[in-house]
Amino acid sequence: FEKATQAYPGALSAHWGLAKARFNQGRHQDAIEPLRRVTSAVPNAPEPHYMLAVCYDRLGRRADAYASYRNALAAGLSGDERARAESRVQSLAPAE
């Protein structure tokens, strides 16, 4: 996927594949850049927002994780991921 993103920088499927591969390898910091590309290009896709939120969460970037979980929920995240995102939004919500 890395070679594909270099050869075809506008190919979202390559960036999405690279992000998923890095995420599954536990390379959360490295997954952020391709995930940001995908979420910018396809803002109504819930899965990339959720994956980005998990990356931020695991890296301790609470404000970024909170915003990304909210974006995933707004984009229509469903199933078990929705329940986890809702729980994390409550946990990460800024104090008022």
Side-chain angles (χ1 to χ4, degrees), residues 51-88:
M51 194 174 286
L52 182 58
V54 172
C55 288
Y56 286 140
D57 209 354
R58 292 189 179 161
L59 293 169
R61 294 175 57 177
R62 295 175 59 87
D64 292 326
Y66 176 77
S68 293
Y69 281 125
R70 289 184 51 103
N71 288 339
L73 291 168
L77 188 66
S78 61
D80 292 340
E81 287 87 9
R82 182 172 191 83
R84 284 192 288 273
E86 288 171 341
S87 175
R88 290 306 293 151

Side-chain angles (χ1 to χ4, degrees), residues 14-79:
H15 290 284
W16 179 229
L18 178 62
K20 289 192 295 185
R22 289 176 174 175
F23 181 89
N24 291 331
Q25 293 169 346
R27 296 173 53 196
H28 300 105
Q29 180 65 48
D30 295 332
I32 289 173
E33 190 273 326
L35 284 169
R36 289 184 63 182
R37 280 182 172 247
V38 174
T39 57
S40 292
V42 191
N44 293 325
E47 292 173 359
H49 284 291
Y50 178 74
M51 194 174 286
L52 182 58
V54 172
C55 288
Y56 286 140
D57 209 354
R58 292 189 179 161
L59 293 169
R61 294 175 57 177
R62 295 175 59 87
D64 292 326
Y66 176 77
S68 293
Y69 281 125
R70 289 184 51 103
N71 288 339
L73 291 168
L77 188 66
S78 61

